[in-house]
């Protein structure tokens, strides 16, 4: 049995291109085609759909597809949705893959990859297309960095910066008018935070020879320049 596909795309030229291209595949069949959310809802009421190809920039709204995805979900349609878009903006990609509950996000220039993406979606296989995957990865990295920065105090940043500049713990204590033990305690807190976020860093220990590693990690996560 063929995989039943519906296309919701407001550009009639691209919609016809997709329809013709997908119907060339023996195991795929386009059973519905629409140019708006209203038309899409009407199709879903009367057709059995396996995979929906959904234009993100629907009806002139750059997030119109996201709105359509949310509405179909709220109406109870359990669809495997692949978003097609001319945009690869981090925030839009992230919203589509999370709030929009879509299974894949492909930029339109890669339309030749759509048949395989449809098969993967139908089989519930994870396979975020490379045209959007890097955006998701970048956002996850940014989120980790933001969480780390939120847990680091100004004093700890100062200490890390001074360590980076070559000061030892005794010199830092004198410069900041703290005891050397207080400086050691702050370094320990930073190491503990890093180990809490990244368990593979459990090997870190509060020893003189590990401060360089802590500083390098702080630089890697953009905690200090």
């Amino acid at each position: 049995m063929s995989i039943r596909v519906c296309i919701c795309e407001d550009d009639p030229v691209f919609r016809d291109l997709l329809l013709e291209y997908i119907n060339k595949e023996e195991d795929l069949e386009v059973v519905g085609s629409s140019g708006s959310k209203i038309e899409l809802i009407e199709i879903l009421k009367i057709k059995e759909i396996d995979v929906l190809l959904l234009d993100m920039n629907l009806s002139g709204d750059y997030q119109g597809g996201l709105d359509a995805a949310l509405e179909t979900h709220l109406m109870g349609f359990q669809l495997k949705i692949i978003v097609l878009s001319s945009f690869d903006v981090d925030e839009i990609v992230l919203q589509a893959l999370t709030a929009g509950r879509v299974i894949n996000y492909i930029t339109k220039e890669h339309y030749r990859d759509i048949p395989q993406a449809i098969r993967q979606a139908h089989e519930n296989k994870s396979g975020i297309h490379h045209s959007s995957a890097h955006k998701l990865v970048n956002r996850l990295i940014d989120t980790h960095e933001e969480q780390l920065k939120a847990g680091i105090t100004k004093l700890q940043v100062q200490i890390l910066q001074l360590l980076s500049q070559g000061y030892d713990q005794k010199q830092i204590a004198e410069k900041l008018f703290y005891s050397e033990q207080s400086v050691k305690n702050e370094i320990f807190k930073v190491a503990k935070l890093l180990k809490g976020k990244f368990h593979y860093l459990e090997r870190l220990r509060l020893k003189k020879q590990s401060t360089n590693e802590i500083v390098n990690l702080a630089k890697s996560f953009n905690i200090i320049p």
Side-chain angles (χ1 to χ4, degrees), residues 73-122:
H73 178 74
L74 291 173
M75 292 179 70
F77 296 110
Q78 301 300 314
L79 300 171
K80 296 179 175 71
I81 302 174
I82 298 174
V83 161
L84 308 177
S85 178
S86 301
F87 304 104
D88 63 352
V89 180
D90 294 21
E91 190 65 30
I92 296 176
V93 173
L94 187 68
Q95 286 184 13
L97 292 170
T98 53
R101 305 193 181 201
V102 309
I103 200 166
N104 209 336
Y105 188 112
I106 303 176
T107 55
K108 291 181 180 179
E109 62 183 313
H110 296 286
Y111 72 90
R112 291 181 179 84
D113 296 337
I114 290 174
Q116 185 57 26
I118 292 171
R119 296 182 185 102
Q120 289 178 330
H122 185 248

Side-chain angles (χ1 to χ4, degrees), residues 54-69:
L54 181 61
D55 180 16
M56 176 59 90
N57 188 30
L58 197 59
S59 303
D61 179 354
Y62 80 97
Q63 287 187 309
L66 179 60
D67 178 57

Side-chain angles (χ1 to χ4, degrees), residues 109-138:
E109 62 183 313
H110 296 286
Y111 72 90
R112 291 181 179 84
D113 296 337
I114 290 174
Q116 185 57 26
I118 292 171
R119 296 182 185 102
Q120 289 178 330
H122 185 248
E123 295 172 4
N124 290 316
K125 290 183 178 178
S126 176
I128 298 174
H129 193 261
H130 63 80
S131 62
S132 58
H134 69 288
K135 296 292 183 180
L136 183 59
V137 170
N138 288 343

Side-chain angles (χ1 to χ4, degrees), residues 169 184-185 187-188 191 204-208 210-211 214:
Q169 294 178 21
K184 288 181 179 180
N185 290 343
I187 294 172
F188 175 81
L204 276 176
R205 294 291 182 270
L206 187 58
K207 297 179 181 177
K208 186 175 180 180
S210 74
T211 54
I214 294 171

Side-chain angles (χ1 to χ4, degrees), residues 27-203:
D27 59 333
L28 307 180
E29 180 187 3
V30 178
V31 297
S33 177
S34 66
S36 69
K37 181 176 72 174
I38 294 173
E39 293 175 1
L40 170 63
I41 298 301
E42 291 306 311
I43 291 172
L44 294 178
K45 288 177 180 178
I46 59 174
K47 298 275 189 178
E48 292 290 330
I49 307 295
D50 297 313
V51 178
L52 171 63
L53 300 180
L54 181 61
D55 180 16
M56 176 59 90
N57 188 30
L58 197 59
S59 303
D61 179 354
Y62 80 97
Q63 287 187 309
L66 179 60
D67 178 57
L70 289 170
E71 185 158 340
T72 60
H73 178 74
L74 291 173
M75 292 179 70
F77 296 110
Q78 301 300 314
L79 300 171
K80 296 179 175 71
I81 302 174
I82 298 174
V83 161
L84 308 177
S85 178
S86 301
F87 304 104
D88 63 352
V89 180
D90 294 21
E91 190 65 30
I92 296 176
V93 173
L94 187 68
Q95 286 184 13
L97 292 170
T98 53
R101 305 193 181 201
V102 309
I103 200 166
N104 209 336
Y105 188 112
I106 303 176
T107 55
K108 291 181 180 179
E109 62 183 313
H110 296 286
Y111 72 90
R112 291 181 179 84
D113 296 337
I114 290 174
Q116 185 57 26
I118 292 171
R119 296 182 185 102
Q120 289 178 330
H122 185 248
E123 295 172 4
N124 290 316
K125 290 183 178 178
S126 176
I128 298 174
H129 193 261
H130 63 80
S131 62
S132 58
H134 69 288
K135 296 292 183 180
L136 183 59
V137 170
N138 288 343
R139 186 54 189 264
L140 288 172
I141 291 171
D142 289 343
T143 299
H144 270 300
E145 289 182 357
E146 289 166 7
Q147 289 175 345
L148 280 172
K149 288 177 181 178
I152 299 282
T153 67
K154 290 182 179 180
L155 173 60
Q156 290 165 354
V157 170
Q158 280 184 296
I159 291 171
L160 289 169
Q161 288 174 331
L162 290 170
L163 286 170
S164 176
Q165 293 166 19
Y167 289 83
D168 62 27
Q169 294 178 21
K170 183 177 180 180
Q171 292 170 325
I172 293 171
E174 292 172 353
K175 189 174 182 66
L176 298 180
F177 304 104
Y178 280 88
S179 69
E180 189 173 349
Q181 185 59 48
S182 293
V183 171
K184 288 181 179 180
N185 290 343
E186 294 303 321
I187 294 172
F188 175 81
K189 290 175 185 176
V190 172
K192 186 177 180 181
L193 176 66
L194 291 172
K195 286 187 289 184
K197 292 290 183 183
F198 305 95
H199 298 294
Y200 62 87
L201 298 177
E202 187 60 34
R203 69 183 188 281

